[in-house]
Amino acid sequence: QDEDAMNRIAEAAIAVRDRLSQLTDLASAGAEFRIGLGFGGIFGCLVGREQQQFNLWGEAIETAQIMARSAASGAIQASAGAYAQLRHDFLFRPRGSFYLPGIGQSRTFVLAGQL
């Protein structure tokens, strides 16, 4: 219901990417990271009895995990759904097609920055 939530997530991803880029420049050779953005249904709840943790799962989480695993080092890879939600406020580069389980072939994009 929060229309700005996806924008805030993208802004946070850019801030994390920029900070991790700084840190990997200072780290030993071989340090790298990848970030994925997905869009879709999500569920969350507290799990555990004594040490409760908030757990999230759903289409957006699964897609973001796949996007992160297949992203280029140091990049924020976004699904077609995330791109559709963010394309008016952020700059993207097309990356190509990717197979998503349960969805099939889908386009992917690299989030470059905010407009």
Side-chain angles (χ1 to χ4, degrees), residues 2 9 16-17 27 29 40 56-58 72 78 86 91-92 109:
D2 184 350
I9 290 169
V16 168
R17 179 204 57 204
L56 293 173
W57 68 95
L86 297 167
L91 178 63
F92 288 89
F109 301 85

Side-chain angles (χ1 to χ4, degrees), residues 75-106:
I76 303 169
Q77 183 168 261
S79 68
Y83 168 77
Q85 293 294 312
L86 297 167
R87 64 190 171 94
H88 296 293
D89 298 315
F90 293 86
L91 178 63
F92 288 89
R93 292 188 316 265
R95 180 147 194 262
S97 293
F98 193 82
Y99 178 80
L100 291 173
I103 296 174
Q105 283 297 113
S106 182

Side-chain angles (χ1 to χ4, degrees), residues 2-110:
D2 184 350
E3 294 181 18
D4 294 327
M6 195 67 191
N7 280 13
R8 287 195 306 277
I9 290 169
E11 290 167 0
I14 291 168
V16 168
R17 179 204 57 204
D18 293 348
R19 181 63 179 136
L20 288 174
S21 291
Q22 293 170 346
L23 293 173
T24 54
D25 287 346
L26 300 173
S28 61
E32 59 182 38
F33 67 92
R34 294 165 173 79
I35 300 172
L37 287 178
F39 180 80
I42 191 168
F43 305 94
C45 72
L46 286 173
V47 294
R49 293 186 188 270
E50 293 186 25
Q51 291 184 330
Q52 290 187 332
Q53 296 181 354
F54 195 77
N55 192 12
L56 293 173
W57 68 95
E59 177 188 350
I61 299 296
E62 292 169 12
T63 302
Q65 288 174 335
I66 293 168
M67 292 294 102
R69 279 195 306 264
S70 62
S73 179
I76 303 169
Q77 183 168 261
S79 68
Y83 168 77
Q85 293 294 312
L86 297 167
R87 64 190 171 94
H88 296 293
D89 298 315
F90 293 86
L91 178 63
F92 288 89
R93 292 188 316 265
R95 180 147 194 262
S97 293
F98 193 82
Y99 178 80
L100 291 173
I103 296 174
Q105 283 297 113
S106 182
R107 293 175 57 200
T108 61
F109 301 85
V110 174

